[in-house]
Amino acid sequence: MRKRVARLLPGHSRVKAADNSVVRGIFLAGSVMATLGQARRIKRQVDRIISRTDAEKAVTSLRKTLSTVKSLKIARLVEGYSKQAKEKRNSGFVSIKKAGYRRGDGSEMAKLTLIDWVAKPKKLAKKDEKNS
């Protein structure tokens, strides 16, 4: 008798959780590395999130964004980026660039980047100068 092997399909809860984690990462960093199949799923998800944010229905769009992102801080980042990005384009907010093959298992990797992403510079801590 053949043993059954559990496969993780795109609708599986663990796959959804992993995809949502990468979506949060792309909004925090502006770019992220993923396998090519995962990158295609995430591109669709991120484009959908950005395109459904609407300034007129702020509360509704915030709730829809929070259902995926699970963080108010990241949801605010999404709103800010969507206002900026919608001025220039209607869709295609994420680009996928192939990045070769993963060393361990040979999976094809891709780099996802948000188009026109402007990262906020990190604040440097003030150094206390000592008189010596």
Side-chain angles (χ1 to χ4, degrees):
M1 186 167 130
R2 240 177 123 172
K3 293 185 180 179
R4 298 180 78 182
V5 178
R7 288 185 59 209
L8 293 178
L9 299 174
H12 200 275
S13 62
R14 283 183 269 177
V15 175
K16 285 183 183 178
D19 287 352
N20 287 343
S21 175
V22 176
V23 168
R24 286 190 293 272
I26 198 169
F27 282 118
L28 286 175
S31 66
V32 72
M33 293 285 288
T35 61
L36 190 60
Q38 187 180 22
R40 289 179 178 149
R41 285 194 313 267
I42 290 166
K43 180 180 178 3
R44 272 183 264 143
Q45 193 173 1
V46 170
D47 281 343
R48 197 175 299 133
I49 289 170
I50 293 171
S51 63
R52 74 180 175 199
T53 56
D54 191 7
E56 295 172 3
K57 301 175 185 176
V59 176
T60 307
S61 65
L62 185 65
R63 278 191 196 139
K64 287 182 180 179
T65 306
L66 278 171
S67 69
T68 304
V69 177
K70 308 281 193 253
S71 169
L72 188 61
K73 175 186 170 187
I74 299 172
R76 298 285 184 204
L77 284 173
V78 171
E79 284 184 352
Y81 174 73
S82 66
K83 288 177 187 174
Q84 169 195 349
K86 281 185 176 182
E87 292 174 358
K88 297 181 181 177
R89 62 183 74 238
N90 294 328
S91 63
F93 303 106
V94 179
S95 67
I96 296 177
K97 294 181 184 174
K98 292 185 180 180
Y101 295 94
R102 189 162 47 193
R103 186 174 177 196
D105 60 356
S107 296
E108 195 168 5
M109 298 299 288
K111 184 172 185 176
L112 288 150
T113 56
L114 284 172
I115 297 173
D116 301 329
W117 174 258
V118 178
K120 293 183 180 178
K122 294 182 180 179
K123 295 180 182 177
L124 298 175
K126 293 182 181 179
K127 295 182 180 179
D128 293 329
E129 294 181 16
K130 295 181 179 179
N131 294 330
S132 45

